[in-house]
Structure formats: C-alpha cells, structure tokens
Amino acid sequence: QEARVQLARATEELRSRLGRTPTTKELSELMSLPEEEVVEARLASNGYNSASLDAAINGSEDGEAALADFIGTDDAALELVEDFHALAPMLAELDDRDRQIIHWRFVEELTQKEIGERLGISQMHVSRLISRLLARLREGMLTTA
C-alpha cells in the first residue's frame, strides 16, 4: 500500500520513456524494490482504478459499445421487493388467526395437517382457509398493481 504512490510515479515515468507499459522487472529496478513487492503494490493499486460504465469499448463487433453492456444483470428478485411492499399492508389487515396461518404455512412451512392440529381443526378446513386467504391477497395484489 505504501509503494502504491511510488509505483504510479515509476509506471508513468517508464511508460513515457519506453512508450509502453513497463514490466515488473523494469519497475523493480527503478523503484529499488524486489519484484515480489512490485507485484504486491500492483495488486494493491488495482483497488484504486475505476472506469466509467459509459466508457466506450473499441473492438466490439457491432461498432462501439459501453462497458455497462457487458457487466451486470437484471436482478430477478427486485420485483419481489415491490411485491413484498404491496403485500405487507394487506397482511397487516388480516386478523390474528389468518396472519398466523399464513406465517405457519409460508414462513415456518408447516403442512396443512400440522396447522390443523395446532388450531384444532381438520386439514380440509385449513386447506379452505388458505385458499380463501390466498385468493383475497391475490385479488388485493391485482388491484394495487
């Protein structure tokens, strides 16, 4: 890290003198450091190099392209964030039992039979309750979208 500034100066000096990027050996000689330390300084300095995402990249097949065209992807989970924000107020409007059923089924991943046992009702009744709750939430999501 300490050699980073010295490395930048030496690199620039040799680049202007040689007309090309200097080798590790050439930098080592100019800086009076072992080659291993020059390599470490280069690695440390990599964290300080940046490029604009709009920077043009030459040599692409279809003319000029930007760096942003080649890195990053759309985050599929981003839509889930919007859905969670839309769903949260609807879940808050549910009564305690319905909210608990949704929690047990989709957070704790209990089976309908296990939920029925906790509530003292049949698995079929739990199935109907969950169907009704999901239909209500689905309808609310469609009207808020």
Side-chain angles (χ1 to χ4, degrees), residues 9-140:
R9 287 187 188 130
T11 302
E12 201 50 47
E13 180 183 328
L14 285 174
R15 184 178 288 135
S16 65
R17 225 189 298 160
L18 302 170
R20 61 174 171 75
T21 303
T23 65
T24 302
K25 183 176 179 164
E26 293 166 337
L27 288 167
S28 170
E29 289 170 1
L30 180 64
M31 296 171 64
S32 302
L33 289 174
E35 287 186 35
E36 296 79 30
E37 285 188 36
V38 172
V39 170
E40 286 180 26
R42 277 185 161 171
L43 288 173
S45 68
N46 284 341
Y48 292 90
N49 295 334
S50 62
S52 169
L53 293 176
D54 295 324
I57 297 175
N58 297 326
S60 68
E61 295 166 6
D62 57 346
E64 206 168 89
L67 181 60
D69 295 336
F70 298 98
I71 60 173
T73 59
D74 289 336
D75 187 352
L78 190 56
E79 289 182 27
L80 288 176
V81 173
E82 294 172 2
D83 290 344
F84 288 140
H85 281 288
L87 189 58
M90 288 184 274
L91 289 171
E93 292 174 3
L94 296 176
D95 65 35
D96 289 339
R97 184 183 82 159
D98 289 347
R99 198 171 27 258
Q100 187 64 57
I101 290 171
I102 293 292
H103 178 83
W104 282 333
R105 183 68 187 104
F106 298 103
V107 176
E108 294 185 27
E109 298 181 350
L110 297 180
T111 64
Q112 292 177 358
K113 181 180 179 192
E114 291 169 326
I115 295 169
E117 289 170 357
R118 288 187 179 190
L119 294 175
I121 59 178
S122 71
Q123 177 269 324
M124 183 58 75
H125 192 179
V126 172
S127 176
R128 289 184 186 126
L129 289 172
I130 291 173
S131 293
R132 178 182 54 82
L133 286 167
L134 293 179
R136 188 166 136 196
L137 294 171
R138 199 174 290 118
E139 180 66 31

